Structure formats: C-alpha cells, structure tokens
Amino acid sequence: MKERMLNNMIQNGVNKDFVKKDKSHKQKVTKLTIMCMVYNDDGSFLVENRVKKDWPGLTFPGGHVEDEELIEDAVIREMKEETGLDVSNIEPRGYIEWNEFGDDVRHLAMLFRTKTYKGKLTSSKEGNIFFIKENEIEKYPLSNDFLAIYNKLK
C-alpha cells in the first residue's frame, strides 16, 4: 500500500527523493472513532452513562472505526453493539479531536446524529443507555468534553 502511494505521488510530480528522505512530516498515530446521538422530536436524546475507566460519565454511544471499515458502517455497527438499535439516515455533524492524553496519539471522533432508528434499546457492558432531555444533563457526571460534543450534535 505504501509503495502504491509513493508511486502515485511520484507520478503526480512529487520529488521522489523528498518523499523518501524528508522526516519533517512525522505525525502521531491517529485513532479514528465515531459518536452518534439518537434524538426524538420531543427533545429527548440517547446517552450512555459509561462505567469504563478510560472514558467514564455521560457520553454518546460510539467507538473505534475498524481497519478497512467505512465510517458510516462503523456508526451502524457501534450503535447496534452499544444500544441494540438499528440506525439509518445518519447526519454528519462535525468532529472533535484530542491530542493531550499523554499517549502520543491524536484522537479524532467523527460526530453523527439521527432520529431514524428501530429495535429494542439495550444497555451494554460499557454502560447504561437511556434517553434524557437537556435539563437533565446536570444530574450526571460528564465524560471529557461532553458539553462541547453535545453542542455540535444538537
């Protein structure tokens, strides 16, 4: 794969010696994740009160995008795994990123929302899943940047 990318770059006029020798473009590893908010017309939205130590508190269901997996497919899979729901008509709402966790990794979360879902709501080992309204948020401990993420999703 890297060789094919290098060949494409050279064919498109990129200097071969520059591509092979230049180390100034060294980047952190990027972990791509997704989060999705299911919402209803009555103002309620789905959250997860996550219990895992790596991301505790109120958050939106989501997870890592697997190698070779399309982002939209990851949203559908993660929502099924974490909530029991089948989602569709997914709307992209932006992203949020973190670089300061001390793990030398850039964390990039793509944010989505939908009001189209079916199935039986089921909590997972990661936490309880339930619908709340905005005025109930303050009753729960919040995960990292929950309010910033919520503001992008609503």
Side-chain angles (χ1 to χ4, degrees), residues 15 23 40 63 77 85 122 126 128:
N15 182 307
K23 303 293 184 201
N40 294 311
R77 176 185 53 77
L85 300 178
T122 308
E126 298 198 17
N128 291 327

Side-chain angles (χ1 to χ4, degrees), residues 31-48:
K31 287 191 178 179
L32 181 60
T33 59
I34 59 87
M35 290 181 167
C36 185
M37 179 175 78
V38 173
Y39 67 98
N40 294 311
D41 290 333
D42 69 359
S44 63
F45 54 93
L46 190 67
V47 293
E48 178 176 24

Side-chain angles (χ1 to χ4, degrees), residues 48-70:
E48 178 176 24
N49 194 6
R50 195 170 151 108
V51 295
K52 289 181 78 176
K53 291 180 181 178
D54 66 336
W55 197 262
L58 211 60
T59 190
F60 294 99
H64 291 90
V65 177
E66 303 293 337
D67 291 341
E68 308 301 322
E69 184 177 38
L70 298 174

Side-chain angles (χ1 to χ4, degrees), residues 7 14 16 19 22 24-25 38 47 59-60 66 71-72 80 87 90 94 98 100 110-111 128 130 135 139 142 146 154:
N7 288 336
V14 176
K16 180 178 180 180
V19 171
D22 183 31
S24 66
H25 292 80
V38 173
V47 293
T59 190
F60 294 99
E66 303 293 337
I71 292 173
E72 207 169 291
K80 183 69 170 180
V87 297
I90 302 162
W98 301 274
E100 70 281 346
M110 306 300 295
L111 307 175
N128 291 327
F130 53 94
N135 64 351
K139 296 178 184 178
L142 305 179
F146 177 83
K154 66 179 183 176

Side-chain angles (χ1 to χ4, degrees), residues 103-131:
D103 58 1
D104 205 31
V105 174
R106 173 189 221 169
H107 298 266
L108 177 63
M110 306 300 295
L111 307 175
F112 298 87
R113 74 177 189 175
T114 185
K115 65 178 183 176
T116 309
Y117 62 95
K118 62 182 178 180
K120 182 180 179 218
L121 193 61
T122 308
S123 294
S124 74
K125 65 182 177 187
E126 298 198 17
N128 291 327
I129 302 286
F130 53 94
F131 282 93

